[in-house]
Amino acid sequence: MEKFKKFLKIPTLCCTTGLFVVLLIALIVMSSQSYSRGTYVGEETVFGAKIKIEMNLKDDSNVVAGVTSIVGSTTEFEENELKYKVTDGEIFTSEDNGENYNRFGKIDAYKISVSSDGYSMTLTNKSATAARATIIVFMVISLAGAIASGIYTILSKKNI
């Protein structure tokens, strides 16, 4: 039991503080990326038609874009493989194999904001958002462990 009490003092404080710092660095690096690979998904209802757009950023230049539209009981699905590039926080797509690029919207690590003809839609990268939430939860847990270990260390020194 005495070994466990010694472990609760300085080693636990160091481990939990180190874990917090590592997770904080991971969160900063992830949030500062210009975009995340993976699938960005957005849904919107326009004039009674439900439109769902999925963009899967596969590698550094290829994206698979799928558009599903539901009007009444009719469902249409269209999928295209496009070229893309990201410049200054904006994503550009090309249907003609990289010859001419058109602005699609603003992009960051978690979402793409699209606005066209007075309509706007936000596509969210759910895997990046879930990773961010997981990192934040573990940061809170490690910070709570560091605080608890620090309090225990201070209280045990006062009792000696």
Side-chain angles (χ1 to χ4, degrees):
M1 188 69 174
E2 200 61 39
K3 287 183 181 182
F4 182 67
K5 287 181 181 180
K6 283 186 178 182
F7 180 75
L8 283 178
K9 293 180 182 176
I10 301 302
T12 303
L13 180 62
C14 292
C15 290
T16 54
T17 304
L19 179 62
F20 178 80
V21 169
V22 167
L23 290 170
L24 180 63
I25 291 169
L27 182 65
I28 291 169
V29 167
M30 192 168 121
S31 296
S32 65
Q33 293 178 348
S34 58
Y35 67 96
S36 301
R37 289 201 180 120
T39 304
Y40 289 81
V41 179
E43 286 187 31
E44 195 70 37
T45 302
V46 179
F47 296 121
K50 186 175 181 180
I51 298 172
K52 180 178 179 181
I53 299 176
E54 295 183 30
M55 292 187 70
N56 184 1
L57 305 179
K58 293 171 30 173
D59 54 31
D60 287 334
S61 64
N62 293 316
V63 61
V64 175
V67 178
T68 305
S69 57
I70 302 171
V71 180
S73 62
T74 306
T75 302
E76 293 181 23
F77 178 73
E78 180 182 340
E79 184 174 88
N80 295 320
E81 184 156 344
L82 310 168
K83 297 284 185 186
Y84 78 94
K85 68 179 180 177
V86 176
T87 307
D88 295 330
E90 294 186 339
I91 184 167
F92 297 89
T93 59
S94 172
E95 294 181 8
D96 54 6
N97 206 18
E99 304 267 334
N100 299 311
Y101 284 94
N102 297 317
R103 182 183 179 278
F104 185 75
K106 293 186 177 193
I107 188 170
D108 64 25
Y110 307 106
K111 66 182 181 336
I112 298 175
S113 299
V114 181
S115 59
S116 175
D117 300 329
Y119 298 104
S120 63
M121 179 183 283
T122 301
L123 286 71
T124 307
N125 188 330
K126 293 187 182 188
S127 61
T129 305
R132 176 179 60 181
T134 302
I135 288 173
I136 291 171
V137 166
F138 280 107
M139 283 176 63
V140 169
I141 291 170
S142 65
L143 185 62
I147 291 170
S149 179
I151 290 172
Y152 179 76
T153 301
I154 290 169
L155 291 178
S156 66
K157 285 187 179 184
K158 286 185 177 182
N159 289 338
I160 292 179

